[in-house]
Every structure is written in structure tokens, then in C-alpha cells.
Amino acid sequence: MESDVTHTDKQTNILFHKVPYDYFDSRGLFSVWSMSLMCQEVRGPLYKVLLPDVREEMQRRGSTVFVKTQEITVYPPAYRKVTPQTPLTGTASLLHIGKTSYGVMQELRLHRSGDIVCRTATLMVQTDRTTRRPRQFSEDRIKSAQAKVYGVKTNFMGPIMDIPPPSSYVHRIVVAHSDIDRNRHVNQSNYVRFCLDCAACGAMDQAYTTLRKDISLYPVRTISILYMREAVARDQLEIISWEDQLKPYILYFIVRKDKEDICHAIITFNIDNPRL
């Protein structure tokens, strides 16, 4: 995807010249999974350009960063105004930095009007490449990064404490090699796709009382997602889904591998204005 990168002292900016055709769903609408991918691309330059001291320290130590949790909000222009070839502007800024983690805010907007399309808050954790355990930043690196903080700290989701009801819908998949990223595990954006595919199958199988038939009729409003453990190619995953008893437009998801939870997600759909 052709893009141009610029930055200020506290923000990185990417101009995407056009949205690829394959970033749209079966109804020709901008897919949430594609928005997640673009927000991931927006986040990359922030790490390289605005946090060079942190990046240098991590490279020297043999560390990387894993996404721990995300809060994704989708706005009406995403469905009403984004078409193939539409130029978008992406921005990323540092929300906070702690001992082992930092938060990043990513936004996608229509390039010409500035209307917001998607906003994603992401919590990143420094992780040892070998042990796969969190590692602390040095005090000097934390102090230098704090000068780049721009925005309000976000509250991220914790684990889903509810036990899935007996009527929960179960969707099973095998992780493909194409789902794996440079950290040798399933890329976080693919869990968004896994959960939405589960919801699509559940709607077709009439597993939910309100979301029926084609799930793409109901625009996604928000996604909260917590990544707990890793999955790799050929792993067999079980995705358990059920609707909120009082708000059936909210679906809960638990992704399991070998009977252990590896990802939790909550997706809110818009049932007031379905794509009819």
C-alpha cells in the first residue's frame, strides 16, 4: 500500500494514498479486520521515529514488543464514506509508558475532510524473545519517553470473568502459516478476524437471538480484545461465543488452545441501522 510518513515531536502521521480493494467485505464495505491492519501499520513509525532510545535498548537486549490488549472504536464514516481508492490519514501517539509496557493511540481519518474512521488504543508489552516473558525498561528510557506522551491514558479490558453458558456457540479452526507474523505467533489482527468469522458462522446457524443470517448486515461499533497466550501455525483453536443476556447486540468470545484461554474479546454491533 503506497503511503507517506511524516512526524512531529509527539506524533507520527501516515498518508495512505488509497485503500486496497481487498480491504472490503462481501458487501463492499471497509472491513474491521482491515482497519486493524492499517492501525498496526500506523503504529510502526511511532516506535522507530519517536522512541529511538527505547528501540535501541530493546534491540541490544534481544527484546520485542507484544500487543497485550486493544480497544477499537469504529465510526459511521468507515461504512458510509470509505470506498476503494479513498485516501486516509493515520496518526499515532504515545499515551503512557510504564515499567514494562506503553500505550499507543492510533487513528484513521478521511484525508480530505478529517472525519474520523477508526480509533484504536493499544497496550504494548516489552517481551524477551527467548523466554517470552515481560522485561522492564530502564529508568532512563522511561524518562526520555515520558516527554513524548500525548493524549489521555486509556482503560483497557481485563479477562472475561463470566463462564460461557451451555448454549454458547463453538467454532473451530486450524491456524494457518499465513496467520503468523515476525514474532513467530498469530498476529493480533487475525484474532479480530477469527472472532468475526465465528460470529458470522454463529449468525448463519441462528446461535444468537438478534444477530441473524448475514453478520455483515450489522456494523461493528467497538471491539475490546485481550491477548493472553500465543498460538502458532497448525494449532487447533476453539472459539466460544455467546450473547449478552440484556444486550444481545454484544457478543463475548473466548479463544482456547488445548483447553486454555489464549484470547478474550467483546464485540458490540449496531442493530439500529443494519446494512439493508
Side-chain angles (χ1 to χ4, degrees):
M1 191 183 338
E2 187 179 357
S3 62
D4 297 318
V5 180
T6 60
H7 65 89
T8 65
D9 60 338
K10 291 189 176 182
Q11 190 175 69
T12 56
N13 310 281
I14 296 185
L15 170 60
F16 297 101
H17 292 264
K18 57 186 178 180
V19 181
Y21 281 95
D22 57 359
Y23 276 29
F24 294 79
D25 65 18
S26 61
R27 292 182 174 271
L29 298 171
F30 196 18
S31 74
V32 179
W33 175 59
S34 298
M35 295 180 214
S36 177
L37 280 175
M38 293 186 75
C39 283
Q40 177 177 309
E41 189 166 346
V42 168
R43 191 171 65 241
L46 178 85
Y47 173 58
K48 297 176 182 178
V49 176
L50 296 190
L51 302 174
D53 293 342
V54 172
R55 182 171 182 247
E56 182 277 329
E57 180 180 76
M58 290 175 55
Q59 290 178 333
R60 177 166 43 82
R61 288 175 159 188
S63 298
T64 185
V65 285
F66 286 177
V67 174
K68 179 62 177 177
T69 181
Q70 290 183 299
E71 301 289 337
I72 303 171
T73 304
V74 183
Y75 296 87
Y79 304 116
R80 297 174 183 169
K81 297 183 178 181
V82 179
T83 62
Q85 312 301 306
T86 296
L88 297 178
T89 299
T91 61
S93 55
L94 184 67
L95 291 173
H96 73 274
I97 184 166
K99 290 183 177 181
T100 63
S101 65
Y102 59 89
V104 179
M105 178 62 73
Q106 306 111 87
E107 292 185 348
L108 293 176
R109 293 179 180 269
L110 296 175
H111 178 61
R112 294 188 177 92
S113 68
D115 291 347
I116 188 163
V117 170
C118 175
R119 178 177 286 130
T120 300
T122 304
L123 183 65
M124 314 287 295
V125 178
Q126 181 185 191
T127 305
D128 185 287
R129 288 184 183 274
T130 302
T131 66
R132 319 300 265 188
R133 302 293 298 172
R135 170 177 275 175
Q136 290 191 4
F137 297 110
S138 67
E139 290 296 328
D140 288 345
R141 297 301 185 265
I142 292 174
K143 186 176 294 186
S144 66
Q146 284 175 340
K148 306 290 181 68
V149 170
Y150 179 78
V152 179
K153 188 173 180 179
T154 299
N155 293 321
F156 293 96
M157 77 170 285
I160 295 173
M161 303 307 294
D162 294 344
I163 297 174
S167 59
S168 297
Y169 184 77
V170 179
H171 179 67
R172 294 179 175 85
I173 64 168
V174 177
V175 175
H177 287 275
S178 57
D179 295 325
I180 307 304
D181 64 16
R182 62 183 298 177
N183 284 321
R184 306 191 307 278
H185 62 198
V186 174
N187 183 271
Q188 81 276 350
S189 64
N190 286 320
Y191 287 99
V192 174
R193 179 169 56 85
F194 294 164
C195 291
L196 288 172
D197 284 347
C198 173
C201 292
M204 292 293 291
D205 291 341
Q206 300 186 16
Y208 316 119
T209 61
T210 300
L211 304 173
R212 295 296 186 98
K213 297 182 179 179
D214 188 349
I215 198 69
S216 67
L217 288 170
Y218 306 98
V220 171
R221 285 178 171 173
T222 63
I223 300 177
S224 298
I225 190 161
L226 173 67
Y227 309 98
M228 306 167 75
R229 293 178 179 82
E230 298 177 87
V232 297
R234 301 180 67 183
D235 277 345
Q236 298 182 32
L237 304 184
E238 183 179 73
I239 306 170
I240 304 166
S241 172
W242 69 98
E243 65 185 11
D244 188 279
Q245 294 299 303
L246 298 178
K247 300 176 180 178
Y249 51 85
I250 298 176
L251 298 184
Y252 299 94
F253 300 86
I254 292 179
V255 183
R256 286 179 176 163
K257 181 181 78 171
D258 299 329
K259 298 183 179 180
E260 286 192 334
D261 294 4
I262 65 169
C263 177
H264 288 181
I266 304 171
I267 301 181
T268 303
F269 294 86
N270 187 345
I271 61 174
D272 298 325
N273 295 295
R275 305 165 183 165
L276 300 178

